[in-house]
Amino acid sequence: MTSGPIGLDLAEVSKANAPAAPSPIDEKDEKHLTIVDDSFQSASARKESVVDADGKEYPTLEEIGSLRRVCGSVPWAAYTIAFVELCERFSYYGTTIVFVNFIQNPLPDGSTTGSAGTDGQAGALGLGQRASTGLTTFNSMWAYFMPLVGAYMADQYWGRYKTIQISIFIAIFGHILLIISTIPPVLKHPNGAIACFSVGLIIFGIGTGGFKPNISPLIAEQYETKHPRQYIKVQKSGERTIVDPTMTISRIYMYFYMMINIGALIGQIGMVYAEKYVGFWLSFVLPTILFSFCPFIMFFMKKNYAMRPPTGSVLAKALKLWGFAMRGRWSINPFKT
């Protein structure tokens, strides 16, 4: 992403800086925006700045090409969403990091939880490498396929916030099933344990699929819905600068991915130690506890979040277009396709 109008026509950039309206727009707001937009274009021709009803000043053509660009302040709501992402990545990576040992290796001698101490190898079900490879590969495939469904539900029906909340509860239920599969009485019966684990894995992946594609756009919306255009900010030194939404959203995503990496790193390192010295139940319980904070954080912050209503899924339209284009042009018979 670039922070300035590099490679763009300045007139187009200037026009793009006219104030944008939140959705939906009532008749009064639409009239106000029309007046501001007309004033902006007229002022741009006279090289004058435009000030909206809230006192926000927008840059002229000359200022767009000459003033220094700075980041705006990151909304508090964005930090809470980033923390929710940290918890989710901790829970996902902290849980999946121990899958191989849990499935592949048998219970260590004298252990009922799978722990093996300093010199041993943690294990539980003892199903071998083929089973562990198959299930962990399925989990990866499932976790990357389900976001297509999660994104579709958010765009077509529920919106991002509702989809995330529902997905969190689904994922927590999957976590609970995974915990059940690791308790000592269940581990005594490997067939029952692997059945419970497999069902939990599927439900866990559904929750992950609804969460992953919606949390990233939601955090960006916390800024761009309130500050969709560049505007002028006078620094304490008296310098006139342009607050660039592109730079601000880039900063937000830097913080966001920092939270992802912190959650994933601590989750993976911590849960490996938990399985080795305490047992697999702790490796699944701790991520579940941390993840359980997420719905409460989002519920109490809901009134502070900027949320957009669903506007329809591009995926559904693309699939319909593909089906129309391929109608009568392919067959299950390879010689006719």
Side-chain angles (χ1 to χ4, degrees):
M1 292 185 288
T2 60
S3 59
I6 299 175
L8 299 176
D9 183 79
L10 285 178
E12 292 297 322
V13 175
S14 174
K15 185 177 180 180
N17 279 319
S23 181
I25 307 173
D26 59 29
E27 184 177 347
K28 181 179 179 181
D29 290 336
E30 186 175 5
K31 182 178 180 181
H32 169 72
L33 287 169
T34 302
I35 294 172
V36 171
D37 185 61
D38 292 341
S39 300
F40 183 89
Q41 295 184 32
S42 176
S44 296
R46 298 192 305 270
K47 297 184 178 181
E48 298 175 1
S49 60
V50 173
V51 179
D52 65 11
D54 297 325
K56 187 179 294 184
E57 182 182 359
Y58 296 92
T60 64
L61 285 173
E62 182 180 354
E63 289 173 328
I64 289 173
S66 60
L67 294 185
R68 180 170 65 92
R69 284 169 167 74
V70 297
C71 293
S73 59
V74 178
W76 173 247
Y79 287 111
T80 64
I81 295 174
F83 180 74
V84 167
E85 174 68 2
L86 181 151
C87 296
E88 192 275 338
R89 291 292 87 182
F90 181 101
S91 71
Y92 179 82
Y93 285 107
T95 299
T96 58
I97 193 65
V98 301
F99 279 177
V100 172
N101 286 342
F102 178 76
I103 300 168
Q104 179 173 330
N105 302 321
L107 276 171
D109 294 336
S111 175
T112 60
T113 63
S115 62
T118 303
D119 299 324
Q121 177 63 57
L125 302 182
L127 298 179
Q129 183 179 8
R130 179 161 51 179
S132 69
T133 301
L135 283 171
T136 53
T137 302
F138 168 79
N139 176 66
S140 298
M141 180 277 297
W142 190 238
Y144 282 95
F145 170 77
M146 288 308 296
L148 294 174
V149 180
Y152 172 79
M153 295 302 296
D155 291 340
Q156 191 71 28
Y157 300 108
W158 293 340
R160 293 190 178 95
Y161 176 86
K162 184 177 180 180
T163 304
I164 290 171
Q165 286 287 64
I166 292 174
S167 299
I168 288 174
F169 285 108
I170 293 173
I172 289 175
F173 181 60
H175 272 289
I176 293 173
L177 292 180
L178 294 177
I179 293 171
I180 293 173
S181 71
T182 64
I183 60 179
V186 177
L187 287 180
K188 292 180 181 179
H189 307 281
N191 291 335
I194 191 61
C196 183
F197 177 85
S198 299
V199 174
L201 195 68
I202 293 173
I203 298 175
F204 175 62
I206 294 173
T208 301
F211 185 94
K212 286 178 65 175
N214 294 303
I215 195 72
S216 298
L218 182 65
I219 194 172
E221 288 174 0
Q222 304 315 303
Y223 184 84
E224 65 182 9
T225 54
K226 298 179 180 179
H227 306 287
R229 307 298 182 198
Q230 300 175 356
Y231 64 92
I232 297 294
K233 179 180 180 180
V234 179
Q235 303 295 328
K236 293 181 179 179
S237 62
E239 179 190 8
R240 289 172 60 84
T241 58
I242 295 178
V243 177
D244 193 331
T246 303
M247 291 181 64
T248 308
I249 292 174
S250 296
R251 173 174 287 185
I252 290 173
Y253 275 120
M254 289 179 187
Y255 292 150
F256 181 71
Y257 281 99
M258 180 184 71
M259 291 294 194
I260 289 176
N261 291 326
I262 290 174
L265 180 65
I266 297 176
Q268 291 181 91
I269 295 176
M271 296 313 101
V272 168
Y273 276 93
E275 67 157 354
K276 187 171 182 62
Y277 292 102
V278 180
F280 287 98
W281 67 269
L282 184 63
S283 297
F284 292 168
V285 167
L286 290 179
T288 305
I289 292 175
L290 188 60
F291 193 40
S292 297
F293 287 108
C294 295
F296 297 103
I297 294 173
M298 298 199 68
F299 175 78
F300 288 114
M301 289 295 298
K302 181 179 180 180
K303 62 180 181 296
N304 299 313
Y305 288 152
M307 294 180 288
R308 293 176 176 172
T311 56
S313 173
V314 176
L315 176 62
K317 297 175 183 177
L319 291 176
K320 288 180 181 179
L321 180 61
W322 178 83
F324 178 79
M326 296 300 294
R327 186 178 301 168
R329 297 179 180 275
W330 67 280
S331 170
I332 59 174
N333 186 342
F335 294 101
K336 293 183 179 181
T337 300

